[in-house]
Amino acid sequence: MDLSAINPTILIASLMVASTPILLAAIGELVVEKSGVLNLGVEGMMITGAICGFAVAVETGSPTLGFIGAAVGGAVLSMLFGVLTQFLLSNQVATGLALTLFGLGLSALLGQGYVGITPPATAEVNFGPLADIPVLGRILFQHDFMVYFSIALVAAVWAFLKFNRAGLILRAVGESHDAAHALGYKVVYVRLMAIGFGGACAGLGGAYLSLIRVPQWTEGMTAGAGWIALAIVVFASWRPVGVLLGAYLFGGVTVLQLNLQAAGLDKIWGIPLKVEYLSMSPYLITILVLVIMSSGRGRASLNAPAALGKSFHASS
Amino acid sequence: MNKLPKWVDIALIPFINLVLALVVSGLVVLFIGESPFEALSIMVNGAVGSSYGWGYTLYYATNFIFTGLAVSVAFQARLFNIGGEGQALIGGLGVALTCLAVPWPHWSLALPFAILGGAAFGAAWAAIPAYLQAKRGSHIVITTIMFNYIAATLLVYLLVNVLKKKGSMAPETARFPEGAFLPSAYDMAGWIGLKFSKSAPLNITFFIALICCVLVYLLIWRTRLGYQIRAFGHSEPAARYAGIPPVRITMITMMISGALAGLMGINAVMGEAERLVIDSVQGAGFVGIAVALMGRSHPAGVLVAGLLFGMLYQGGGELEFEIPAVSRDMILVIQGLVILFTGALDNMIRMPVERLFLRLRKGAA
């Protein structure tokens, strides 16, 4: 086995870039699920964010404005879900699916004029001499601001859920909306805010794909990333740190398989490697992870928000 | 409970839902600067204005009926089978393998075996997520979605490395033997002395789809298994209390669902392409979700909704041709809207309609 073609430093550095879209989407969905709402429309919000961010960045020439636009786009789309499920009490699974299909179609329509354009480049954050540290510098200090933002966001969500009173209310709403309602908390508004946050995060994740990771706009470019983000939330058993680990694990698998494809290895430990097996691997591993961590049994189920996926109406 | 006449429930409300979805789509068309009325007339004309249009409309409808039935059967047990796409791909593989395995002398002999092949492969592909749901509680929506992607890459692998015709660059199998060609609408119209467009892909599978609608109806509402499936769907604890094994029902329901999706391969692979190509399904698995929701998970509803989406698809194709600014993705938007309005927003439409009928009834009494 010859892995010398693969440079571990660059591998880890590109792992962080590859993981960021999933990480952003997953941390948003974690907050949504913590409030007791299951939004299966992550894929649709991601791709909508991807095209909104791309369009804004191309028109204004500023990637930062692009990311803001993406967050707004994702949040607006998620509000559609929010109004439908929270006020009109529609089925969350069906609405989430519809949101995905709607987002995929809408983004393709919006993006017709943007195929084949290169977006303005996002600069690396300048860490001065830190970036020149061998190995560590390449891994930690040569990224764009979104990579650091995503990690900071995970930390912020962790602290918010653990130490903040508002975070406590959000968790209470997710565990028992009736009890939270009885205590006088506005269940529907808490959930709406969580859904909006989730949408904004998914939008940012999508824009990271179209503005930095690829960087280009193609139809359906999220290619299941939103679904993987959903699986990661289960994998993390609804813990922010777990989301970070999970996203980096999946990013690692994606980057590794891409590197193996590029290195043209045809065998690993005697097992023949085919490009198709490799490109299948993120999806296979998602399933594997779901099977191991499944919400039905075991420790993970204890941590799932008790009111997940249940509609709330003040009369009942 | 029964505030509404039946025809309102099964016809009027879905119709209002569809009109709303079309109105919102019209706004989207307006938004990109085209006339929605012109777009609508091009769509209707393209879908049902000629025997060529009808041939495509009914061909698409056949696909959607199969995938729509697949989603409906699973939904009777309240399982969301989003994997129609993958199951239809793998079903198409089963059909292709059957067709290529034997030099079939006549299509009437090849067809039953192809049906078996497609159904078996589709069912097997659905069985894995079903097992994971039943035994491990893995969310079936996520696993079936993942299986769609896995099916797509598996098919690429097989077509590039194993099944590819020798000396050909395109990733597709060899053409099926002559005896495995299904009679097209042109042939069938010829039998009874009628004329039909020769280039339309409509074929005998349309009638198989109709038969499947009847069979699904009989299964769900006239057999013991169907009763168990519905009971399981309405309340799992109650079903378990009544001695209905949840694991078995989940497995069987999903396998029937997968088999129905797999049958789509007969139409797309055996009937139209007459070889296995990379993308034989073309999103029909997802359309099936919209079709099933709109058809109220009832075979009759699925049939009507399938026809409707067939028209949308064919009409959408023409639209893309006539007004390049409106692309096929418009159809995806309409699909999403239809799911929103029929599946999710049902109550929003239903409540005012119910109120209206109550008032009418009071006025009459």
Side-chain angles (χ1 to χ4, degrees), chain A residues 84 88 90 95 97-98 101 105-106 108 112 224 276 280 287 291-292 294 297, chain B residues 82 132 135-136 138 142 147 149 153 157 325 327 329 333 339-340 344-345:
Chain A
L84 294 181
L88 300 166
S90 64
T95 315
L97 280 172
L101 280 183
L106 186 71
Q112 275 169 359
E276 290 82 7
M280 226 185 257
I287 290 183
V291 171
I292 297 169
S294 276
R297 290 153 185 63
Chain B
I82 316 301
L132 296 179
K135 282 286 190 190
R136 303 277 327 176
S138 311
I142 301 178
F147 264 71
Y149 292 106
T153 34
Y157 168 73
S327 73
D329 311 307
V333 174
I339 298 183
L340 273 182
L345 273 180

PDB file of all heavy atoms in Angstrom, chain A residues 84 88 90 95 97-98 101 105-106 108 112 224 276 280 287 291-292 294 297, chain B residues 82 132 135-136 138 142 147 149 153 157 325 327 329 333 339-340 344-345:
ATOM      1  N   LEU A  84     -46.019  26.952   8.479  1.00  0.00           N
ATOM      2  CA  LEU A  84     -46.853  25.786   8.159  1.00  0.00           C
ATOM      3  C   LEU A  84     -46.972  24.844   9.338  1.00  0.00           C
ATOM      4  O   LEU A  84     -48.053  24.372   9.676  1.00  0.00           O
ATOM      5  CB  LEU A  84     -46.268  25.034   6.964  1.00  0.00           C
ATOM      6  CG  LEU A  84     -46.283  25.770   5.647  1.00  0.00           C
ATOM      7  CD1 LEU A  84     -45.706  24.903   4.555  1.00  0.00           C
ATOM      8  CD2 LEU A  84     -47.703  26.150   5.292  1.00  0.00           C
ATOM      9  N   LEU A  88     -50.165  26.367  11.256  1.00  0.00           N
ATOM     10  CA  LEU A  88     -51.170  25.569  10.550  1.00  0.00           C
ATOM     11  C   LEU A  88     -51.087  24.090  10.922  1.00  0.00           C
ATOM     12  O   LEU A  88     -51.814  23.273  10.389  1.00  0.00           O
ATOM     13  CB  LEU A  88     -51.015  25.763   9.045  1.00  0.00           C
ATOM     14  CG  LEU A  88     -51.198  27.229   8.623  1.00  0.00           C
ATOM     15  CD1 LEU A  88     -50.727  27.458   7.213  1.00  0.00           C
ATOM     16  CD2 LEU A  88     -52.656  27.624   8.761  1.00  0.00           C
ATOM     17  N   SER A  90     -49.204  21.601  10.254  1.00  0.00           N
ATOM     18  CA  SER A  90     -49.046  20.572   9.235  1.00  0.00           C
ATOM     19  C   SER A  90     -48.036  19.532   9.714  1.00  0.00           C
ATOM     20  O   SER A  90     -47.283  19.755  10.654  1.00  0.00           O
ATOM     21  CB  SER A  90     -48.571  21.200   7.940  1.00  0.00           C
ATOM     22  OG  SER A  90     -47.291  21.748   8.128  1.00  0.00           O
ATOM     23  N   THR A  95     -43.950  18.270   5.405  1.00  0.00           N
ATOM     24  CA  THR A  95     -43.585  19.651   5.107  1.00  0.00           C
ATOM     25  C   THR A  95     -42.089  19.773   4.850  1.00  0.00           C
ATOM     26  O   THR A  95     -41.664  20.489   3.941  1.00  0.00           O
ATOM     27  CB  THR A  95     -43.982  20.572   6.272  1.00  0.00           C
ATOM     28  OG1 THR A  95     -45.305  20.238   6.683  1.00  0.00           O
ATOM     29  CG2 THR A  95     -43.944  22.014   5.862  1.00  0.00           C
ATOM     30  N   LEU A  97     -40.075  17.482   3.673  1.00  0.00           N
ATOM     31  CA  LEU A  97     -39.778  16.922   2.354  1.00  0.00           C
ATOM     32  C   LEU A  97     -40.157  17.905   1.259  1.00  0.00           C
ATOM     33  O   LEU A  97     -39.409  18.122   0.300  1.00  0.00           O
ATOM     34  CB  LEU A  97     -40.580  15.642   2.146  1.00  0.00           C
ATOM     35  CG  LEU A  97     -40.004  14.410   2.802  1.00  0.00           C
ATOM     36  CD1 LEU A  97     -40.978  13.273   2.680  1.00  0.00           C
ATOM     37  CD2 LEU A  97     -38.688  14.060   2.144  1.00  0.00           C
ATOM     38  N   ALA A  98     -41.356  18.505   1.431  1.00  0.00           N
ATOM     39  CA  ALA A  98     -41.808  19.462   0.428  1.00  0.00           C
ATOM     40  C   ALA A  98     -40.834  20.625   0.349  1.00  0.00           C
ATOM     41  O   ALA A  98     -40.505  21.114  -0.731  1.00  0.00           O
ATOM     42  CB  ALA A  98     -43.205  19.968   0.778  1.00  0.00           C
ATOM     43  N   LEU A 101     -37.863  19.605  -1.787  1.00  0.00           N
ATOM     44  CA  LEU A 101     -38.154  19.609  -3.228  1.00  0.00           C
ATOM     45  C   LEU A 101     -38.318  21.035  -3.736  1.00  0.00           C
ATOM     46  O   LEU A 101     -37.792  21.414  -4.784  1.00  0.00           O
ATOM     47  CB  LEU A 101     -39.438  18.834  -3.499  1.00  0.00           C
ATOM     48  CG  LEU A 101     -39.320  17.323  -3.525  1.00  0.00           C
ATOM     49  CD1 LEU A 101     -40.647  16.697  -3.868  1.00  0.00           C
ATOM     50  CD2 LEU A 101     -38.271  16.889  -4.530  1.00  0.00           C
ATOM     51  N   GLY A 105     -35.976  22.972  -6.558  1.00  0.00           N
ATOM     52  CA  GLY A 105     -36.518  23.536  -7.781  1.00  0.00           C
ATOM     53  C   GLY A 105     -36.299  25.037  -7.855  1.00  0.00           C
ATOM     54  O   GLY A 105     -35.844  25.571  -8.867  1.00  0.00           O
ATOM     55  N   LEU A 106     -36.603  25.703  -6.750  1.00  0.00           N
ATOM     56  CA  LEU A 106     -36.487  27.163  -6.710  1.00  0.00           C
ATOM     57  C   LEU A 106     -35.049  27.599  -6.970  1.00  0.00           C
ATOM     58  O   LEU A 106     -34.785  28.520  -7.750  1.00  0.00           O
ATOM     59  CB  LEU A 106     -36.942  27.665  -5.342  1.00  0.00           C
ATOM     60  CG  LEU A 106     -37.025  29.167  -5.183  1.00  0.00           C
ATOM     61  CD1 LEU A 106     -38.200  29.691  -5.979  1.00  0.00           C
ATOM     62  CD2 LEU A 106     -37.173  29.558  -3.727  1.00  0.00           C
ATOM     63  N   ALA A 108     -32.739  26.005  -8.580  1.00  0.00           N
ATOM     64  CA  ALA A 108     -32.368  25.784  -9.982  1.00  0.00           C
ATOM     65  C   ALA A 108     -32.918  26.902 -10.861  1.00  0.00           C
ATOM     66  O   ALA A 108     -32.255  27.367 -11.791  1.00  0.00           O
ATOM     67  CB  ALA A 108     -32.890  24.428 -10.448  1.00  0.00           C
ATOM     68  N   GLN A 112     -30.321  30.073 -12.877  1.00  0.00           N
ATOM     69  CA  GLN A 112     -30.076  29.876 -14.302  1.00  0.00           C
ATOM     70  C   GLN A 112     -29.026  30.815 -14.882  1.00  0.00           C
ATOM     71  O   GLN A 112     -28.226  30.417 -15.711  1.00  0.00           O
ATOM     72  CB  GLN A 112     -31.379  30.033 -15.068  1.00  0.00           C
ATOM     73  CG  GLN A 112     -32.147  28.740 -15.093  1.00  0.00           C
ATOM     74  CD  GLN A 112     -33.549  28.942 -15.599  1.00  0.00           C
ATOM     75  OE1 GLN A 112     -33.957  30.046 -15.911  1.00  0.00           O
ATOM     76  NE2 GLN A 112     -34.287  27.869 -15.667  1.00  0.00           N
ATOM     77  N   GLY A 224     -27.035  15.790  -1.258  1.00  0.00           N
ATOM     78  CA  GLY A 224     -27.288  14.984  -0.066  1.00  0.00           C
ATOM     79  C   GLY A 224     -26.620  15.478   1.199  1.00  0.00           C
ATOM     80  O   GLY A 224     -26.775  14.859   2.248  1.00  0.00           O
ATOM     81  N   GLU A 276     -16.187   4.130  -7.619  1.00  0.00           N
ATOM     82  CA  GLU A 276     -17.604   4.142  -7.255  1.00  0.00           C
ATOM     83  C   GLU A 276     -17.809   3.740  -5.800  1.00  0.00           C
ATOM     84  O   GLU A 276     -18.662   4.279  -5.109  1.00  0.00           O
ATOM     85  CB  GLU A 276     -18.399   3.214  -8.170  1.00  0.00           C
ATOM     86  CG  GLU A 276     -18.510   3.716  -9.593  1.00  0.00           C
ATOM     87  CD  GLU A 276     -17.267   3.388 -10.412  1.00  0.00           C
ATOM     88  OE1 GLU A 276     -16.398   2.667  -9.896  1.00  0.00           O
ATOM     89  OE2 GLU A 276     -17.172   3.866 -11.554  1.00  0.00           O
ATOM     90  N   MET A 280     -19.388   6.191  -2.881  1.00  0.00           N
ATOM     91  CA  MET A 280     -20.519   5.690  -2.111  1.00  0.00           C
ATOM     92  C   MET A 280     -20.287   5.856  -0.607  1.00  0.00           C
ATOM     93  O   MET A 280     -21.225   5.903   0.178  1.00  0.00           O
ATOM     94  CB  MET A 280     -20.630   4.188  -2.387  1.00  0.00           C
ATOM     95  CG  MET A 280     -21.986   3.659  -2.688  1.00  0.00           C
ATOM     96  SD  MET A 280     -21.820   1.876  -2.823  1.00  0.00           S
ATOM     97  CE  MET A 280     -21.863   1.637  -4.563  1.00  0.00           C
ATOM     98  N   ILE A 287     -25.360   5.635   6.904  1.00  0.00           N
ATOM     99  CA  ILE A 287     -26.290   4.582   7.308  1.00  0.00           C
ATOM    100  C   ILE A 287     -25.719   3.785   8.470  1.00  0.00           C
ATOM    101  O   ILE A 287     -26.402   3.510   9.456  1.00  0.00           O
ATOM    102  CB  ILE A 287     -26.583   3.659   6.112  1.00  0.00           C
ATOM    103  CG1 ILE A 287     -27.408   4.431   5.102  1.00  0.00           C
ATOM    104  CG2 ILE A 287     -27.311   2.418   6.565  1.00  0.00           C
ATOM    105  CD1 ILE A 287     -27.830   3.643   3.939  1.00  0.00           C
ATOM    106  N   VAL A 291     -27.361   3.278  12.074  1.00  0.00           N
ATOM    107  CA  VAL A 291     -27.694   1.963  12.597  1.00  0.00           C
ATOM    108  C   VAL A 291     -27.117   1.802  13.992  1.00  0.00           C
ATOM    109  O   VAL A 291     -27.781   1.320  14.909  1.00  0.00           O
ATOM    110  CB  VAL A 291     -27.166   0.867  11.655  1.00  0.00           C
ATOM    111  CG1 VAL A 291     -27.313  -0.492  12.290  1.00  0.00           C
ATOM    112  CG2 VAL A 291     -27.903   0.920  10.343  1.00  0.00           C
ATOM    113  N   ILE A 292     -25.868   2.252  14.140  1.00  0.00           N
ATOM    114  CA  ILE A 292     -25.232   2.082  15.449  1.00  0.00           C
ATOM    115  C   ILE A 292     -25.881   2.984  16.494  1.00  0.00           C
ATOM    116  O   ILE A 292     -26.149   2.577  17.616  1.00  0.00           O
ATOM    117  CB  ILE A 292     -23.720   2.386  15.341  1.00  0.00           C
ATOM    118  CG1 ILE A 292     -23.071   1.373  14.392  1.00  0.00           C
ATOM    119  CG2 ILE A 292     -23.064   2.305  16.704  1.00  0.00           C
ATOM    120  CD1 ILE A 292     -21.670   1.731  14.006  1.00  0.00           C
ATOM    121  N   SER A 294     -28.821   4.459  16.396  1.00  0.00           N
ATOM    122  CA  SER A 294     -30.236   4.707  16.152  1.00  0.00           C
ATOM    123  C   SER A 294     -31.017   5.122  17.380  1.00  0.00           C
ATOM    124  O   SER A 294     -30.762   4.684  18.483  1.00  0.00           O
ATOM    125  CB  SER A 294     -30.886   3.489  15.546  1.00  0.00           C
ATOM    126  OG  SER A 294     -30.660   3.542  14.172  1.00  0.00           O
ATOM    127  N   ARG A 297     -33.116   2.670  20.379  1.00  0.00           N
ATOM    128  CA  ARG A 297     -32.660   2.032  21.600  1.00  0.00           C
ATOM    129  C   ARG A 297     -31.376   2.682  22.101  1.00  0.00           C
ATOM    130  O   ARG A 297     -30.807   3.511  21.430  1.00  0.00           O
ATOM    131  CB  ARG A 297     -32.339   0.559  21.305  1.00  0.00           C
ATOM    132  CG  ARG A 297     -33.558  -0.262  21.041  1.00  0.00           C
ATOM    133  CD  ARG A 297     -33.195  -1.445  20.148  1.00  0.00           C
ATOM    134  NE  ARG A 297     -34.353  -2.202  19.770  1.00  0.00           N
ATOM    135  CZ  ARG A 297     -35.361  -1.725  19.038  1.00  0.00           C
ATOM    136  NH1 ARG A 297     -35.368  -0.463  18.640  1.00  0.00           N
ATOM    137  NH2 ARG A 297     -36.381  -2.478  18.710  1.00  0.00           N
TER     138      ARG A 297
ATOM    139  N   ILE B  82     -39.092   7.258   0.897  1.00  0.00           N
ATOM    140  CA  ILE B  82     -38.579   8.288   0.000  1.00  0.00           C
ATOM    141  C   ILE B  82     -37.607   7.656  -0.984  1.00  0.00           C
ATOM    142  O   ILE B  82     -36.988   8.320  -1.792  1.00  0.00           O
ATOM    143  CB  ILE B  82     -37.862   9.401   0.807  1.00  0.00           C
ATOM    144  CG1 ILE B  82     -38.697   9.770   2.020  1.00  0.00           C
ATOM    145  CG2 ILE B  82     -37.608  10.648   0.004  1.00  0.00           C
ATOM    146  CD1 ILE B  82     -40.067  10.245   1.702  1.00  0.00           C
ATOM    147  N   LEU B 132     -33.690  -2.046   8.937  1.00  0.00           N
ATOM    148  CA  LEU B 132     -33.046  -1.127   9.871  1.00  0.00           C
ATOM    149  C   LEU B 132     -34.084  -0.333  10.666  1.00  0.00           C
ATOM    150  O   LEU B 132     -33.902  -0.064  11.852  1.00  0.00           O
ATOM    151  CB  LEU B 132     -32.128  -0.166   9.109  1.00  0.00           C
ATOM    152  CG  LEU B 132     -30.957  -0.834   8.399  1.00  0.00           C
ATOM    153  CD1 LEU B 132     -30.125   0.181   7.656  1.00  0.00           C
ATOM    154  CD2 LEU B 132     -30.094  -1.591   9.399  1.00  0.00           C
ATOM    155  N   LYS B 135     -35.877  -3.029  13.108  1.00  0.00           N
ATOM    156  CA  LYS B 135     -35.065  -3.626  14.166  1.00  0.00           C
ATOM    157  C   LYS B 135     -34.295  -2.588  14.971  1.00  0.00           C
ATOM    158  O   LYS B 135     -34.082  -2.744  16.158  1.00  0.00           O
ATOM    159  CB  LYS B 135     -34.067  -4.616  13.535  1.00  0.00           C
ATOM    160  CG  LYS B 135     -34.689  -5.943  13.162  1.00  0.00           C
ATOM    161  CD  LYS B 135     -34.944  -6.783  14.415  1.00  0.00           C
ATOM    162  CE  LYS B 135     -35.323  -8.194  14.023  1.00  0.00           C
ATOM    163  NZ  LYS B 135     -35.795  -8.956  15.198  1.00  0.00           N
ATOM    164  N   ARG B 136     -33.819  -1.538  14.271  1.00  0.00           N
ATOM    165  CA  ARG B 136     -32.932  -0.599  14.954  1.00  0.00           C
ATOM    166  C   ARG B 136     -33.536   0.781  15.126  1.00  0.00           C
ATOM    167  O   ARG B 136     -32.944   1.646  15.748  1.00  0.00           O
ATOM    168  CB  ARG B 136     -31.623  -0.446  14.160  1.00  0.00           C
ATOM    169  CG  ARG B 136     -30.865  -1.714  13.910  1.00  0.00           C
ATOM    170  CD  ARG B 136     -30.008  -2.127  15.060  1.00  0.00           C
ATOM    171  NE  ARG B 136     -29.479  -0.996  15.798  1.00  0.00           N
ATOM    172  CZ  ARG B 136     -28.761  -1.106  16.907  1.00  0.00           C
ATOM    173  NH1 ARG B 136     -28.500  -2.287  17.386  1.00  0.00           N
ATOM    174  NH2 ARG B 136     -28.320  -0.060  17.523  1.00  0.00           N
ATOM    175  N   SER B 138     -33.747   3.062  12.899  1.00  0.00           N
ATOM    176  CA  SER B 138     -33.082   4.109  12.104  1.00  0.00           C
ATOM    177  C   SER B 138     -34.144   4.826  11.269  1.00  0.00           C
ATOM    178  O   SER B 138     -34.935   4.169  10.600  1.00  0.00           O
ATOM    179  CB  SER B 138     -32.047   3.508  11.160  1.00  0.00           C
ATOM    180  OG  SER B 138     -31.223   2.626  11.854  1.00  0.00           O
ATOM    181  N   ILE B 142     -34.220   9.030   6.297  1.00  0.00           N
ATOM    182  CA  ILE B 142     -32.791   9.246   6.040  1.00  0.00           C
ATOM    183  C   ILE B 142     -32.171   8.024   5.369  1.00  0.00           C
ATOM    184  O   ILE B 142     -31.426   8.151   4.403  1.00  0.00           O
ATOM    185  CB  ILE B 142     -32.062   9.597   7.350  1.00  0.00           C
ATOM    186  CG1 ILE B 142     -32.686  10.863   7.955  1.00  0.00           C
ATOM    187  CG2 ILE B 142     -30.586   9.825   7.095  1.00  0.00           C
ATOM    188  CD1 ILE B 142     -32.078  11.270   9.257  1.00  0.00           C
ATOM    189  N   PHE B 147     -29.980   5.423   0.502  1.00  0.00           N
ATOM    190  CA  PHE B 147     -29.993   4.303  -0.441  1.00  0.00           C
ATOM    191  C   PHE B 147     -30.224   4.780  -1.871  1.00  0.00           C
ATOM    192  O   PHE B 147     -29.826   4.090  -2.808  1.00  0.00           O
ATOM    193  CB  PHE B 147     -31.040   3.264  -0.018  1.00  0.00           C
ATOM    194  CG  PHE B 147     -30.434   2.154   0.777  1.00  0.00           C
ATOM    195  CD1 PHE B 147     -29.993   2.369   2.064  1.00  0.00           C
ATOM    196  CD2 PHE B 147     -30.251   0.898   0.220  1.00  0.00           C
ATOM    197  CE1 PHE B 147     -29.398   1.369   2.795  1.00  0.00           C
ATOM    198  CE2 PHE B 147     -29.656  -0.115   0.946  1.00  0.00           C
ATOM    199  CZ  PHE B 147     -29.226   0.117   2.233  1.00  0.00           C
ATOM    200  N   TYR B 149     -28.764   7.456  -3.128  1.00  0.00           N
ATOM    201  CA  TYR B 149     -27.425   7.814  -3.599  1.00  0.00           C
ATOM    202  C   TYR B 149     -26.579   6.571  -3.838  1.00  0.00           C
ATOM    203  O   TYR B 149     -25.818   6.486  -4.797  1.00  0.00           O
ATOM    204  CB  TYR B 149     -26.730   8.736  -2.584  1.00  0.00           C
ATOM    205  CG  TYR B 149     -27.373  10.089  -2.490  1.00  0.00           C
ATOM    206  CD1 TYR B 149     -28.147  10.442  -1.408  1.00  0.00           C
ATOM    207  CD2 TYR B 149     -27.225  11.012  -3.512  1.00  0.00           C
ATOM    208  CE1 TYR B 149     -28.748  11.686  -1.325  1.00  0.00           C
ATOM    209  CE2 TYR B 149     -27.817  12.252  -3.438  1.00  0.00           C
ATOM    210  CZ  TYR B 149     -28.580  12.589  -2.344  1.00  0.00           C
ATOM    211  OH  TYR B 149     -29.174  13.814  -2.279  1.00  0.00           O
ATOM    212  N   THR B 153     -24.724   5.331  -7.376  1.00  0.00           N
ATOM    213  CA  THR B 153     -23.297   5.038  -7.590  1.00  0.00           C
ATOM    214  C   THR B 153     -23.095   3.570  -7.948  1.00  0.00           C
ATOM    215  O   THR B 153     -22.239   3.240  -8.764  1.00  0.00           O
ATOM    216  CB  THR B 153     -22.452   5.371  -6.351  1.00  0.00           C
ATOM    217  OG1 THR B 153     -23.216   5.111  -5.189  1.00  0.00           O
ATOM    218  CG2 THR B 153     -22.033   6.815  -6.353  1.00  0.00           C
ATOM    219  N   TYR B 157     -21.189   2.154 -11.240  1.00  0.00           N
ATOM    220  CA  TYR B 157     -20.130   1.150 -11.171  1.00  0.00           C
ATOM    221  C   TYR B 157     -20.435  -0.015 -12.100  1.00  0.00           C
ATOM    222  O   TYR B 157     -19.606  -0.435 -12.897  1.00  0.00           O
ATOM    223  CB  TYR B 157     -19.976   0.657  -9.728  1.00  0.00           C
ATOM    224  CG  TYR B 157     -19.119  -0.571  -9.623  1.00  0.00           C
ATOM    225  CD1 TYR B 157     -17.744  -0.484  -9.802  1.00  0.00           C
ATOM    226  CD2 TYR B 157     -19.676  -1.828  -9.383  1.00  0.00           C
ATOM    227  CE1 TYR B 157     -16.951  -1.600  -9.742  1.00  0.00           C
ATOM    228  CE2 TYR B 157     -18.888  -2.952  -9.316  1.00  0.00           C
ATOM    229  CZ  TYR B 157     -17.527  -2.840  -9.496  1.00  0.00           C
ATOM    230  OH  TYR B 157     -16.732  -3.941  -9.451  1.00  0.00           O
ATOM    231  N   ALA B 325     -36.422  30.571 -20.780  1.00  0.00           N
ATOM    232  CA  ALA B 325     -36.220  31.130 -19.439  1.00  0.00           C
ATOM    233  C   ALA B 325     -36.894  30.271 -18.375  1.00  0.00           C
ATOM    234  O   ALA B 325     -36.510  30.293 -17.216  1.00  0.00           O
ATOM    235  CB  ALA B 325     -36.753  32.555 -19.373  1.00  0.00           C
ATOM    236  N   SER B 327     -37.436  26.706 -17.021  1.00  0.00           N
ATOM    237  CA  SER B 327     -36.802  25.413 -17.236  1.00  0.00           C
ATOM    238  C   SER B 327     -37.654  24.322 -16.631  1.00  0.00           C
ATOM    239  O   SER B 327     -38.705  24.543 -16.050  1.00  0.00           O
ATOM    240  CB  SER B 327     -35.412  25.391 -16.615  1.00  0.00           C
ATOM    241  OG  SER B 327     -35.547  25.315 -15.230  1.00  0.00           O
ATOM    242  N   ASP B 329     -37.097  22.812 -14.146  1.00  0.00           N
ATOM    243  CA  ASP B 329     -37.111  22.905 -12.677  1.00  0.00           C
ATOM    244  C   ASP B 329     -38.404  23.508 -12.176  1.00  0.00           C
ATOM    245  O   ASP B 329     -38.784  23.320 -11.030  1.00  0.00           O
ATOM    246  CB  ASP B 329     -35.944  23.757 -12.215  1.00  0.00           C
ATOM    247  CG  ASP B 329     -34.677  23.312 -12.879  1.00  0.00           C
ATOM    248  OD1 ASP B 329     -34.395  22.123 -12.794  1.00  0.00           O
ATOM    249  OD2 ASP B 329     -34.001  24.129 -13.517  1.00  0.00           O
ATOM    250  N   VAL B 333     -40.526  22.867  -8.766  1.00  0.00           N
ATOM    251  CA  VAL B 333     -41.149  23.855  -7.883  1.00  0.00           C
ATOM    252  C   VAL B 333     -42.629  23.520  -7.692  1.00  0.00           C
ATOM    253  O   VAL B 333     -43.147  23.502  -6.575  1.00  0.00           O
ATOM    254  CB  VAL B 333     -40.996  25.276  -8.458  1.00  0.00           C
ATOM    255  CG1 VAL B 333     -41.766  26.271  -7.622  1.00  0.00           C
ATOM    256  CG2 VAL B 333     -39.535  25.668  -8.512  1.00  0.00           C
ATOM    257  N   ILE B 339     -46.940  19.239  -2.941  1.00  0.00           N
ATOM    258  CA  ILE B 339     -46.771  18.511  -1.682  1.00  0.00           C
ATOM    259  C   ILE B 339     -47.121  19.412  -0.514  1.00  0.00           C
ATOM    260  O   ILE B 339     -47.828  19.018   0.409  1.00  0.00           O
ATOM    261  CB  ILE B 339     -45.334  17.982  -1.532  1.00  0.00           C
ATOM    262  CG1 ILE B 339     -45.034  17.014  -2.657  1.00  0.00           C
ATOM    263  CG2 ILE B 339     -45.165  17.275  -0.201  1.00  0.00           C
ATOM    264  CD1 ILE B 339     -43.687  16.384  -2.555  1.00  0.00           C
ATOM    265  N   LEU B 340     -46.661  20.659  -0.583  1.00  0.00           N
ATOM    266  CA  LEU B 340     -46.978  21.598   0.497  1.00  0.00           C
ATOM    267  C   LEU B 340     -48.481  21.750   0.650  1.00  0.00           C
ATOM    268  O   LEU B 340     -49.030  21.628   1.732  1.00  0.00           O
ATOM    269  CB  LEU B 340     -46.371  22.964   0.197  1.00  0.00           C
ATOM    270  CG  LEU B 340     -44.948  23.209   0.637  1.00  0.00           C
ATOM    271  CD1 LEU B 340     -44.542  24.621   0.308  1.00  0.00           C
ATOM    272  CD2 LEU B 340     -44.819  22.977   2.128  1.00  0.00           C
ATOM    273  N   ALA B 344     -49.189  18.986   3.384  1.00  0.00           N
ATOM    274  CA  ALA B 344     -48.920  19.711   4.605  1.00  0.00           C
ATOM    275  C   ALA B 344     -50.039  20.668   4.958  1.00  0.00           C
ATOM    276  O   ALA B 344     -50.424  20.809   6.109  1.00  0.00           O
ATOM    277  CB  ALA B 344     -47.611  20.462   4.439  1.00  0.00           C
ATOM    278  N   LEU B 345     -50.599  21.306   3.933  1.00  0.00           N
ATOM    279  CA  LEU B 345     -51.515  22.390   4.219  1.00  0.00           C
ATOM    280  C   LEU B 345     -52.958  21.989   4.114  1.00  0.00           C
ATOM    281  O   LEU B 345     -53.826  22.835   3.999  1.00  0.00           O
ATOM    282  CB  LEU B 345     -51.265  23.501   3.208  1.00  0.00           C
ATOM    283  CG  LEU B 345     -50.187  24.440   3.642  1.00  0.00           C
ATOM    284  CD1 LEU B 345     -50.017  25.498   2.605  1.00  0.00           C
ATOM    285  CD2 LEU B 345     -50.574  25.078   4.948  1.00  0.00           C
TER     286      LEU B 345
END
